[in-house]
Amino acid sequence: MNKDNQGEFLMFSDAIKEDGTLLEFKGIPISRDEQYVVETTQFEDYNGKAKIYLNYYVNPTGKNIELNIPLQ
């Protein structure tokens, strides 16, 4: 996210496997440079489909939006 958006955080809060169990949360390393703050949410290793829930303070996109993101 752009550093100008102070106080607004994008976080992947929960991830749920196909079978409905939670992926174990491992941490959120944060790095900064002159222009951006980068949050990298880490979950346990998992080789399958999962839903990842986003929390964004001051959400500009609306509510209950679902996206399919293909992994390569």
Side-chain angles (χ1 to χ4, degrees), residues 15-18 21-27 41-50 52 71:
I16 299 177
K17 301 176 191 177
E18 278 183 287
T21 60
L22 286 174
L23 279 166
E24 183 182 343
F25 174 79
K26 297 290 186 179
T41 304
Q42 297 174 340
F43 295 98
E44 69 177 281
D45 290 340
Y46 174 66
N47 189 16
K49 292 182 180 181
I52 300 173
L71 302 178

Side-chain angles (χ1 to χ4, degrees), residues 15-69:
I16 299 177
K17 301 176 191 177
E18 278 183 287
D19 67 3
T21 60
L22 286 174
L23 279 166
E24 183 182 343
F25 174 79
K26 297 290 186 179
I28 304 177
I30 297 174
S31 61
R32 294 175 169 83
D33 65 18
E34 291 179 17
Q35 186 175 359
Y36 297 102
V37 176
V38 178
E39 297 179 10
T40 307
T41 304
Q42 297 174 340
F43 295 98
E44 69 177 281
D45 290 340
Y46 174 66
N47 189 16
K49 292 182 180 181
K51 285 187 177 183
I52 300 173
Y53 293 90
L54 305 175
N55 284 333
Y56 186 74
Y57 178 69
V58 186
N59 185 349
T61 60
K63 296 181 180 180
N64 299 322
I65 296 170
E66 190 169 314
L67 302 171
N68 288 318
I69 302 172

